[in-house]
Amino acid sequence: MVEENWLFGDGENSSRQAWRRGLLSAGALLLALMMAGLLYLVAQSNSERDAAADRERRSYEIIMLTRAIEGARSRSEAALGRFVINSDRRLGTIYRDEWRIAGRQIGRLEQLLDVRPEQLELTRQVGLLYDQYGRELSRTASYANARRNWEALSLHNETAVSSAGAGITSTLDRIADNERARLAELSAARIETTEKSNLLATLLTIAGVILGIVALALAWATVRAFRDRHRADQRADELEEAVSQRTAELETLNAELRAEVTERVAAEQKLRQAQKLEAVGRLTGGIAHDFNNMLSVVVGGIDLARRKLDDDDEAIRRHLDNAADGADRAAALTRRLLAFARSEPLLPAATDPAELVDQMAGLIERTIGERIEVSIDCETDCWPVWVDPRQLESAIVNLAVNGRDAMDGTGAMRIAVANCPLDDRQINELSAGDYVRIAVSDDGCGMGPEVIERVFEPFFTTKEVGKGTGLGMSQIFGFARQSGGDVGIDSTVGEGTTVSIYLPRHGGAVQKASADAGSLGPEAGERHIAGHTILVVEDDPRVLRATSEALEELQCAVIPCDGAQAALAALSGSQPIDLLLTDVVMPDMTGPELVAHIAPDHPDLPVVFVTGYVGEGGELDQLENRMVLRKPFTMAELAEAIRTALRERTRAQIAAE
């Protein structure tokens, strides 16, 4: 028993035994000193890791702040642009508020960068450019305040290409790029510090275990050597298992940290894209709304001029027809812009998507040509959806045309409709639930990631000049989002593309159109409304005048009102009113709010809503089951809407009797 004799000193003098015990004690003391040093190094390493993490958070905040400054500046410019066009002073207030927010955020950026000379200098440049650009925008706002709109519009166009505005964007991008580069360095340093801390912790654990073993050996050396040896082996096994377990935990934490960094970068990219689309959408929606009002005046004027012409004025009639065609094209363009901005006044109804696609088969084949083989695959018992059928048809036709162009006019196209339950955020930001998927697939040229990233931007197109407006996909995107759904794209370069529209399931049943809808011609519709008294409410004086003249031409008595208060005064008078024709988006009180206000006193008064823009107030829900007339409209459409509303009142009265 060599080990037992060594420990117990069998056959040796006491001085040698004391020397060996002293050697064990010295070893234990040396290990204790090593542990103290390791503890100090671990504490220092943890402190460095925490400092690196703090610097990373600061860099993240700086990057997000640059995006916030750019977003506030974009919203301010968008509000000023709309203010210049329609002189709505509320937009001027929005412009000033957003501009001040951008200024405060620049001040916050200077505070965050007060220890970084290079970044601080760039921030000071941003401040100088902000002051310079602010003075340029203030001149435009001053002219708009004075209602000198043409001068304001000219200044606004000059300001749009100002070096100060571009300088703000480029300088903020430089600041963000510098912080991203620094963030990469900080991340690498923090990972290195973490690995160093983990190594020191492992060493400290090993040293502690060894010190414990030595202490136990010294305490029990005179009792039982073999028992100590057995216990030392057990502790060694436990140490190995603990080290392995700790190493696995650290590897898991490192993997989670890397995933978090990747997720943050992706979230930042999505946020930047969302802010850009939101800013473009706000500006687009406002401009399209104003153009719709202008087009209403143009279309109404053309209709009235046509009625005043003699039959032998063919040349003049031809010119008016050309003007009407141009106005129709402009109206279609504004509808696409409003669809992207999610401000298109939809007329939703419970719709069977499979039946709608089946009925469109002939239209799609005529649209894309005979050289493309079209197959339609609709799942049986498809769920109904709550959408505007006309807008859904337009979206499917747009996708079919895009697929035709991608295949250069020859190939195979598949249109599929199927029920599709989704998990939370399985498709973009959609919540979990039941959806219907309408997919249009082609075997064309496909799209790369850089094209997919921009495909929903308005006016972005890969087609040749003159062969595409770049509004088709943005219209589909806006329609799907406005209907509570979303759009997904699966594309491979050289293999083809599948664009899928996801629409939420509707709980109600599909309503079939009534048999007599639209059974009367335009002349019959005009005869049915002649002699009625119409109360017209419109805040735009030009549209109010054009609508009133159109109704007078239709032999109706007109009571024009420039707002809700004037309408309330007219309704409280003694003159009987047969129908209320009101705009939806108005200051002080919207059209739906006006109708709700008068409902107790005039429950049976027919109402026709006129709108070219829904806005952000949730008016769309209030238009459900109401007669809605989209701007711009012709006199025939106006007469048909009024006739339908009057006919519905008559039916309700007969049913009540």
Side-chain angles (χ1 to χ4, degrees), residues 484-501:
D486 213 323
V487 183
I489 297 180
D490 183 13
S491 183
T492 303
V493 176
E495 295 183 10
T497 301
T498 297
V499 181
S500 302
I501 302 176

Side-chain angles (χ1 to χ4, degrees), residues 54 127 182 241 285 287 362 365 369 388 390 394 446 469 488 506 550 564 620:
D54 184 65
R182 185 166 184 260
E241 182 180 355
I287 293 176
E365 291 176 354
D388 186 329
R390 190 179 72 175
S394 176
T469 63
H506 176 58
L620 183 59

Side-chain angles (χ1 to χ4, degrees), residues 70-316:
E70 184 64 16
R73 182 178 77 86
S74 299
R75 291 190 294 272
S76 176
E77 290 177 2
L80 179 58
R82 294 175 60 190
F83 180 40
V84 167
I85 293 175
N86 59 22
S87 299
D88 188 344
R89 296 188 180 276
R90 292 176 300 171
L91 296 175
T93 301
I94 294 173
Y95 144 69
R96 288 191 297 272
D97 291 342
E98 292 293 341
W99 191 252
R100 288 169 184 163
I101 289 172
R104 289 195 295 270
Q105 290 170 339
I106 291 173
R108 172 59 181 160
L109 190 61
E110 290 181 350
Q111 294 175 0
L112 291 175
L113 296 172
D114 57 357
V115 295
R116 301 280 305 283
E118 178 186 357
Q119 292 288 74
L120 185 57
E121 179 59 27
L122 290 174
T123 306
R124 288 172 179 163
Q125 292 179 18
V126 171
L128 294 175
L129 292 169
Y130 168 84
D131 293 337
Q132 177 185 345
Y133 198 44
R135 289 191 295 271
E136 295 175 2
L137 294 177
S138 295
R139 293 178 57 203
T140 302
S142 298
Y143 276 109
N145 255 333
R147 298 190 179 278
R148 295 169 62 183
N149 292 57
W150 285 110
E151 293 91 332
L153 184 59
S154 176
L155 280 176
H156 189 10
N157 291 336
E158 294 176 4
T159 305
V161 296
S162 169
S163 61
I168 291 175
T169 301
S170 62
T171 307
L172 287 174
D173 288 342
R174 287 179 60 191
I175 292 174
D177 291 341
N178 290 342
E179 287 302 322
R180 291 191 187 93
R182 185 166 184 260
L183 186 59
E185 297 174 359
L186 292 173
S187 297
R190 179 173 49 75
I191 293 173
E192 181 180 354
T193 304
T194 302
E195 293 175 350
K196 177 181 176 183
S197 177
N198 295 338
L199 177 61
L200 290 173
T202 303
L203 292 176
L204 182 61
T205 303
I206 295 173
V209 174
I210 294 175
L211 182 60
I213 294 172
V214 172
L216 287 173
L218 186 61
W220 290 86
T222 58
V223 181
R224 188 173 286 180
F226 289 111
R227 183 178 177 183
D228 289 345
R229 181 69 174 268
H230 179 66
R231 290 182 177 177
D233 291 340
Q234 286 183 334
R235 291 186 179 275
D237 293 340
E238 293 174 0
L239 174 62
E240 183 179 355
E241 182 180 355
V243 171
S244 300
Q245 195 173 36
R246 180 60 176 165
T247 301
E249 292 176 357
L250 292 175
E251 289 177 352
T252 302
L253 289 175
N254 285 334
E256 291 177 354
L257 182 60
R258 287 192 292 270
E260 181 180 354
V261 171
T262 302
E263 184 178 351
R264 287 185 179 180
V265 172
E268 179 188 343
Q269 293 175 346
K270 288 184 178 179
L271 175 62
R272 184 165 57 249
Q273 181 72 1
Q275 287 176 336
K276 179 171 66 174
L277 290 177
E278 179 184 3
V280 174
R282 287 177 181 272
L283 178 61
T284 299
I287 293 176
H289 168 232
D290 294 336
F291 268 96
N292 260 344
N293 279 342
M294 299 175 190
L295 287 171
S296 296
V297 178
V298 172
V299 171
I302 292 173
D303 262 4
L304 287 172
R306 281 171 167 171
R307 288 173 171 262
K308 302 298 183 182
L309 284 179
D310 296 331
D311 293 338
D312 55 351
D313 293 331
E314 264 321 303
I316 298 177

Side-chain angles (χ1 to χ4, degrees), residues 407-423:
M407 294 185 292
D408 199 18
T410 303
M413 179 179 297
R414 180 174 180 266
I415 303 176
V417 183
N419 298 332
C420 183
L422 295 178
D423 296 329

Side-chain angles (χ1 to χ4, degrees), residues 437-633:
R437 176 177 180 257
I438 303 173
V440 179
S441 305
D442 64 70
D443 56 2
C445 59
M447 295 181 288
E450 67 284 351
V451 176
I452 294 176
E453 184 178 355
R454 300 187 57 196
V455 72
F456 294 125
E457 294 181 13
F459 303 111
F460 173 77
T461 179
T462 57
K463 299 177 182 178
E464 299 177 6
V465 177
K467 292 189 177 181
T469 63
L471 289 174
M473 292 301 293
S474 63
Q475 180 187 14
I476 295 168
F477 171 81
F479 160 72
R481 287 289 183 91
Q482 195 173 357
S483 301
D486 213 323
V487 183
I489 297 180
D490 183 13
S491 183
T492 303
V493 176
E495 295 183 10
T497 301
T498 297
V499 181
S500 302
I501 302 176
Y502 295 88
L503 299 171
R505 178 182 182 179
H506 176 58
V510 176
Q511 298 292 330
K512 301 296 183 179
S514 59
D516 60 345
S519 59
L520 297 178
E523 296 80 6
E526 294 181 15
R527 289 196 303 272
H528 277 76
I529 71 170
H532 287 86
T533 300
I534 312 296
L535 177 62
V536 181
V537 188
E538 170 63 60
D539 62 306
D540 189 312
R542 296 163 298 182
V543 179
L544 177 61
R545 183 171 56 253
T547 305
S548 299
E549 291 176 356
L551 289 171
E552 290 171 353
E553 179 67 21
L554 294 172
Q555 299 180 13
C556 293
V558 181
I559 303 176
C561 297
D562 59 1
Q565 296 304 322
L568 292 175
L571 286 166
S572 63
S574 59
Q575 183 174 359
I577 296 173
D578 298 315
L579 182 136
L580 171 62
L581 182 77
T582 177
D583 192 15
V584 173
V585 180
M586 297 185 296
D588 300 330
M589 183 183 294
T590 66
E593 290 172 346
L594 171 62
V595 172
H597 184 78
I598 66 173
D601 297 327
H602 304 275
D604 298 326
L605 180 64
V607 178
V608 174
F609 287 108
V610 180
T611 183
Y613 175 73
V614 173
E616 300 176 353
E619 293 88 354
L620 183 59
D621 294 337
Q622 303 175 44
L623 301 183
E624 186 175 338
N625 298 324
R626 294 282 193 173
M627 174 57 64
V628 179
L629 183 61
R630 288 186 175 95
K631 293 180 183 178
F633 51 82

